[in-house]
Amino acid sequence: MLTESTVESMFRELMKTEERTEETFDKAEELLEDELRPESPLRHRLTVELEELRMLATKS
């Protein structure tokens, strides 16, 4: 398992681009599921953020 700091950095790097594809969102989701414990507050926060970004992308 990676540290929470590393996971957050990797997540931010994935989300940095304006041209996010469904594959990008899937990679980010997989990162959170594979590297953070289910009860992790960071996992919850980034999952909510990911859902919001997905919704914004589908509205565009």
Side-chain angles (χ1 to χ4, degrees), residues 4-48:
E4 287 192 343
S5 177
T6 302
V7 172
E8 185 170 16
S9 294
M10 292 170 72
F11 179 87
R12 298 281 173 228
E13 192 64 32
L14 281 169
M15 295 296 111
K16 187 188 275 186
T17 180
E18 290 293 321
E19 309 249 344
R20 296 179 200 108
T21 64
E22 191 58 36
E23 183 180 332
T24 305
F25 292 123
D26 290 344
K27 284 181 183 178
E29 187 173 25
E30 189 175 307
L31 174 67
L32 300 180
E33 290 175 358
D34 291 349
E35 300 298 336
L36 295 174
R37 297 179 327 272
E39 66 276 5
S40 167
L42 179 63
R43 180 175 174 172
H44 174 71
R45 187 176 45 135
L46 293 179
T47 299
V48 169

